[in-house]
Amino acid sequence: MKRYLAEPGKKVEIAKLDPNDNKEFDGGKEKGLERLQELNLELQELQELLYAEGRHKVLVVLQAMDTGGKDGAIRRVFEGVNPQGVRVENFKVPTSEELAHDYLWRVHKVVPAKGEITIFNRSHYEDVLVVRVHEIVPVEVWKKRYDQINQFEKILAESGTTILKFFLNIDKDEQKERLQARLDDPTKHWKFRLGDLEERKLWDRYMEAYEDALNKTSTDYASWYIVPANQKWYRDLVISTVLVETLKGLKMSYPAPEENLDGVVIE
Ligand code: AMP
Ligand code: MG
């Protein structure tokens, strides 16, 4: 999945990337969903190993425009994975207590512990995205945050955290369809907010902010993947593949038993 890696030092232009791309998989949706199923079983095993070994920490950051598929990807990719070892953290509009602290305070509190996978559904990146687009803090303040975020992620990485960041890339037409689908289905109305239409008007400014974030914060120790996300099955396949490959690369092993268990008899 190197194809989707935002290589540190190389400039990405979101407009040049195809949200419908599916070139890393040889086959269509049906075969893709079968492969996804296999990856899901692998992920279940790797997660158990991660937990048993209790050495590594894994942080998965998900960012996307509204309707970009963060919730769907979490549901599908982590289906069947033991909830004891996986935690989802949602980052909403900060509370007054959170605003009374620095922007990383609420984030650092919930990073993964040893043996744990933590998924950030939105993240500290909102502090250079929505905050920048809406000018919630002055430019001098958010400009410094890219470096701060890199330093923060470096601390996590150097303390044994594997960081994977995914930007789910849909296009504006796809967002229109998904918003319309929410509007047409009364069971999805709870997800529809008129405010989302206001955000949609700011699409281009969001893309600028995303592009800057991707270019300034894709590092060797915390890389961004830009996932083509118009097709949900392909989006989930890319995320699952990166996760499984990364976890395999950790070369984990089950801890040795406390005692020699050969010849132990249970009466
Ligand atoms: P949702 O993910 O649909 O539940 O919406 C969460 C909302 O919280 C989004 O509109 C985000 O842009 C917003 N949000 C998250 N983090 C921040 C932040 N640091 N400052 C302002 N708004 C934020
Ligand atoms: Mg929303």
Side-chain angles (χ1 to χ4, degrees):
M1 296 290 160
K2 271 253 156 63
R3 182 182 178 80
Y4 305 123
L5 183 68
E7 279 185 50
K10 275 198 187 164
K11 198 159 164 31
V12 294
E13 286 178 66
I14 297 172
K16 289 197 175 154
L17 303 172
D18 179 9
N20 285 301
D21 179 85
N22 59 9
K23 291 204 174 60
E24 285 290 301
F25 186 68
D26 203 11
K29 180 174 174 180
E30 202 175 320
K31 272 194 170 170
L33 289 173
E34 281 171 26
R35 178 77 193 116
L36 192 57
Q37 195 63 38
E38 289 168 11
L39 286 164
N40 181 261
L41 293 175
E42 281 191 83
L43 183 61
Q44 292 187 34
E45 283 176 18
L46 285 161
Q47 183 276 327
E48 175 134 341
L49 183 54
L50 182 93
Y51 186 78
E53 195 193 46
R55 194 158 63 96
H56 296 280
K57 307 150 179 166
V58 179
L59 175 61
V60 178
V61 173
L62 295 177
Q63 283 290 158
M65 294 294 283
D66 287 321
T67 77
K70 300 185 304 301
D71 298 321
I74 294 170
R75 196 164 56 234
R76 190 68 194 81
V77 171
F78 291 92
E79 198 177 321
V81 177
N82 186 350
Q84 289 224 77
V86 180
R87 183 157 49 86
V88 182
E89 293 292 343
N90 290 284
F91 292 92
K92 307 271 183 187
V93 177
T95 63
S96 53
E97 191 191 16
E98 287 167 348
L99 282 174
H101 293 82
D102 71 89
Y103 69 102
L104 292 172
W105 178 74
R106 66 172 182 167
V107 182
H108 205 168
K109 279 200 292 191
V110 295
V111 297
K114 286 178 177 176
E116 208 178 28
I117 301 177
T118 302
I119 304 154
F120 280 5
N121 185 352
R122 301 187 191 270
S123 64
H124 43 300
Y125 285 95
E126 292 294 329
D127 291 286
V128 288
L129 294 165
V130 64
V131 167
R132 164 174 166 168
V133 170
H134 285 278
E135 298 170 16
I136 296 172
V137 300
V139 54
E140 314 85 74
V141 174
W142 61 254
K143 275 227 149 139
K144 291 193 183 131
R145 291 185 172 169
Y146 303 100
D147 278 343
Q148 294 167 352
I149 287 172
N150 286 339
Q151 291 302 322
F152 170 62
E153 292 179 352
K154 195 164 195 205
I155 294 172
L156 300 182
E158 289 181 351
S159 331
T161 310
T162 298
I163 307 173
L164 294 170
K165 302 184 288 192
F166 298 98
F167 167 53
L168 312 182
N169 185 24
I170 58 165
D171 57 34
K172 209 176 168 188
D173 290 342
E174 181 66 22
Q175 189 192 53
K176 185 176 183 185
E177 275 182 35
R178 292 185 186 184
L179 286 171
Q180 188 64 50
R182 282 184 186 178
L183 208 50
D184 294 344
D185 178 354
T187 72
K188 294 279 157 64
H189 283 180
W190 64 274
K191 269 195 168 189
F192 191 92
R193 289 179 303 128
L194 282 175
D196 291 348
L197 302 182
E198 293 306 309
E199 293 305 287
R200 179 173 163 77
K201 290 183 189 153
L202 300 169
W203 183 276
D204 292 344
R205 296 191 53 197
Y206 268 104
M207 287 305 116
E208 268 175 47
Y210 264 108
E211 207 164 273
D212 252 0
L214 295 167
N215 281 311
K216 291 181 194 290
T217 65
S218 205
T219 55
D220 298 331
Y221 50 87
S223 307
W224 278 104
Y225 287 84
I226 305 171
V227 181
N230 274 5
Q231 302 183 79
K232 295 172 182 170
W233 67 272
Y234 191 71
R235 166 199 78 201
D236 298 340
L237 190 72
V238 171
I239 298 171
S240 300
T241 305
V242 171
L243 254 169
V244 166
E245 282 176 359
T246 304
L247 291 177
K248 278 185 179 165
L250 294 179
K251 305 269 181 265
M252 298 179 285
S253 54
Y254 283 101
E258 281 183 14
E259 314 276 345
N260 182 1
L261 300 181
D262 290 346
V264 170
V265 177
I266 301 170
E267 293 184 358

